[in-house]
Amino acid sequence: MGVDQRIRELCNSGVLNMLERDQLTDAYRFYKRLRLKLALLGYTDEIVPENPDKLAVLSRVLNLKGANEVLSTYEEHAGQVRSIYDQCLSRLLSK
């Protein structure tokens, strides 16, 4: 069973709402693509490089508009995942 299916099951069981499901699915797909591109570029020791040249290369292979978009997209997904985690944990603990 894949991650997409597990996320759908969490939604079907009421742990996630539909918006959270969609946000987690988008984040998972972005991170999976990011990890693949990092590995193909040989950037194996870091999740998102800090080096501006590496970020520029990464932005091109991800079809993003530059280093800032790589960072902002990464941070946007990370923030959404953190928020969903906190909300789900809170809901589960309040039951």
Side-chain angles (χ1 to χ4, degrees), residues 9-17 20 88 91-92 95:
E9 286 184 6
L10 287 170
C11 183
N12 292 340
S13 67
V15 174
L16 299 173
N17 62 44
E20 292 167 334
C88 286
R91 285 193 299 260
L92 290 171
K95 287 186 177 183

Side-chain angles (χ1 to χ4, degrees), residues 4-39:
D4 287 341
Q5 179 62 33
R6 291 180 191 269
I7 292 171
R8 281 193 299 275
E9 286 184 6
L10 287 170
C11 183
N12 292 340
S13 67
V15 174
L16 299 173
N17 62 44
M18 291 173 65
L19 177 61
E20 292 167 334
R21 177 201 63 197
D22 293 345
Q23 289 175 331
L24 280 180
T25 300
D26 289 346
Y28 169 72
R29 290 177 181 165
F30 173 76
Y31 290 140
K32 185 176 177 180
R33 208 171 100 227
L34 176 65
R35 190 178 71 225
L36 174 65
K37 299 299 184 181
L38 287 167

